[in-house]
Amino acid sequence: MKRMRWRRGVALVWTAVALVALLGVVGLASDTGLVMVNVNELQNATDAAAMAAARHVRSSQADARLAAINVAAANLCRKTPVTLDGNDANDAAGDIVLGQYDRDTRTFTATTSGPNAVKVVARRAQGSADGPIPLLLAGIFGVNSVDIERTAIAMVGGGTGAGLIALNGSAQCALDVFGNATLYVNGGDVQVNSSHNKAACTQGNAVLDAPNLNVNGGYDGKGNSTVTGTVNEDQPTMPDPLAELPAPPIGPAMTPAGITTGGTFAAGYYPDGIQLTGNVTTILQPGIYVLGGAGLDVAGTVTFDAQGVMFYLIDDAPVNLTGTGDIHVTPIDSGVYEGMAIFQARDNTAASTIIGTAGLDLEGTLYFPNAHLSIGGTGDGFGNQLIADTVEVFGDGIKTIVYDGRNPAAGNKVFLVE
């Protein structure tokens, strides 16, 4: 009798152990299934947020971050909207990171300089905005929650690199190439945003040599003028790729207030501008030159050497580079203004002129967002990209813009790469 009671006791113990083990298995299966559902929810939110941000990353970095935040919040994980931090500093470890994705090496590099991709990391973890995922039955074993994190990278493609952009939205002949001029955009397209039925014009014996002429309105060719690439009318406008570039600070005025002689000069604010002529040699040290008055006016046989600089033109100061001497300008090579050589203030509508000769060598981006620019002469020194409100190209000879892929169009294809 005692033996049977002992057996019954052992059976009860084993039954209890088995029930606990079974409960653990059921709890593990239940919580595992729940976590997997939550992982999928978080991944869906991450994918959608990255795709939405990538649509804006070339046109507006602020809009890219906002799109990621809004789309993530429209998705739920464990019945809670997914929260992302904007990461305005673009910390590589942040929730929303703008950068360059190299499809050949499958590598993502965080950068706000010409980004083509967005990396989004959504977290439900200790320290995150929404906290970790709570568990149902695993608490029996002292595990009350679990951390999950999902990542997605989306990039934009299909955008056309534009070596010349005429921003004006309505002008007739917003781009006008005439006479015997040849405008050669090496490696990039030409974009004309005007909706006029004669938004882009070529006249006389002029030649526009670019892979594509993309016009929001229409193209008007007269005389013996030609376009060697494809003319695409009724195309979307291209947002100003430098619309968010901030104006540089204007410090105290330099002494002298203007540069009118040969010599070596430091960067700073010159309220009278730079006005040089004759047979002099002027060297500018690297930095930002804020110019008023005469603006950037170089004529005659001046030797002008300005490497690692950006000219910022305020008030009504124009650019007039008409000299026949050696004029050599290279842009700032780092920081916010990397690649910029000339930046005319957005409230400065003064028309500018650049006449090329064998001695003209302008590198970098030439940016006249609300002003007319005339270019003539010859040479391949008309910068790496030219952006202006309206542009006219005249005279004889070939004028070359050596486009290098900077500040591309927004793109029209968005896809996940990781």
Side-chain angles (χ1 to χ4, degrees):
M1 193 72 172
K2 290 181 178 180
R3 186 178 182 87
M4 292 180 63
R5 290 176 180 171
W6 177 80
R7 288 178 176 174
R8 290 193 191 103
V10 172
L12 288 173
V13 171
W14 279 110
T15 300
V17 171
L19 286 173
V20 171
L22 180 61
L23 182 61
V25 171
V26 172
L28 178 62
S30 176
D31 280 335
T32 299
L34 179 63
V35 169
M36 291 307 298
V37 170
N38 297 152
V39 167
N40 288 335
E41 290 176 336
L42 198 62
Q43 186 67 65
N44 289 339
T46 306
D47 291 348
M51 294 274 284
R55 293 185 183 279
H56 300 277
V57 71
R58 284 179 173 169
S59 58
S60 171
Q61 296 185 14
D63 287 350
R65 297 185 192 280
L66 184 61
I69 291 170
N70 290 341
V71 170
N75 287 265
L76 303 180
C77 177
R78 197 60 176 267
K79 298 182 180 181
T80 301
V82 176
T83 303
L84 297 177
D85 177 73
N87 189 28
D88 291 339
N90 210 49
D91 184 340
D95 291 358
I96 304 169
V97 186
L98 311 187
Q100 281 277 353
Y101 187 82
D102 187 323
R103 299 180 70 183
D104 293 331
T105 61
R106 298 186 64 83
T107 56
F108 177 85
T109 304
T111 179
T112 55
S113 179
N116 69 346
V118 180
K119 177 181 178 181
V120 173
V121 182
R123 302 172 174 88
R124 287 295 305 266
Q126 294 288 346
S128 69
D130 300 321
I133 296 295
L135 300 176
L136 297 178
L137 299 177
I140 298 172
F141 304 100
V143 181
N144 297 312
S145 64
V146 65
D147 294 346
I148 62 174
E149 177 180 298
R150 306 306 293 169
T151 300
I153 300 175
M155 71 176 295
V156 61
T160 302
L164 187 152
I165 307 172
L167 296 170
N168 190 288
S170 60
Q172 179 176 346
C173 296
L175 171 65
D176 192 5
V177 186
F178 58 91
N180 295 313
T182 294
L183 174 64
Y184 177 39
V185 182
N186 181 10
D189 291 347
V190 173
Q191 171 73 32
V192 180
N193 281 351
S194 173
S195 60
H196 198 282
N197 62 355
K198 297 181 180 179
C201 304
T202 58
Q203 306 175 51
N205 296 312
V207 176
L208 175 56
D209 188 348
N212 291 282
L213 170 60
N214 300 316
V215 188
N216 179 248
Y219 161 68
D220 182 46
K222 293 181 178 178
N224 296 317
S225 64
T226 59
V227 176
T228 62
T230 302
V231 177
N232 303 303
E233 299 180 308
D234 300 318
Q235 296 299 298
T237 61
M238 178 187 296
D240 180 353
L242 298 176
E244 294 190 351
L245 189 68
I250 300 175
M254 300 291 285
T255 301
I259 298 174
T260 58
T261 63
T264 300
F265 298 87
Y269 170 38
Y270 291 88
D272 292 343
I274 297 173
Q275 191 167 29
L276 299 168
T277 191
N279 187 19
V280 298
T281 297
T282 301
I283 300 172
L284 302 187
Q285 296 175 346
I288 297 175
Y289 290 76
V290 180
L291 306 179
L296 179 59
D297 187 351
V298 181
T301 57
V302 173
T303 296
F304 185 70
D305 189 64
Q307 301 192 40
V309 307
M310 182 182 80
F311 298 105
Y312 181 65
L313 295 112
I314 62 173
D315 302 328
D316 294 319
V319 171
N320 287 303
L321 297 177
T322 59
T324 58
D326 290 332
I327 301 175
H328 186 203
V329 177
T330 65
I332 287 178
D333 60 7
S334 63
V336 174
Y337 301 104
E338 180 179 359
M340 296 295 298
I342 296 175
F343 179 0
Q344 187 168 4
R346 295 184 176 90
D347 60 354
N348 181 355
T349 59
S352 293
T353 302
I354 300 175
I355 305 295
T357 65
L360 178 68
D361 184 13
L362 300 181
E363 299 179 27
T365 297
L366 315 180
Y367 183 44
F368 304 82
N370 288 297
H372 178 73
L373 176 65
S374 299
I375 63 175
T378 61
D380 59 2
F382 291 91
N384 300 113
Q385 187 179 43
L386 194 158
I387 304 172
D389 184 60
T390 55
V391 180
E392 69 174 8
V393 183
F394 63 92
D396 299 323
I398 301 173
K399 306 111 176 66
T400 302
I401 298 170
V402 186
Y403 182 60
D404 58 3
R406 65 183 62 201
N407 304 315
N412 51 27
K413 299 177 182 178
V414 176
F415 45 92
L416 290 170
V417 290
E418 288 188 17

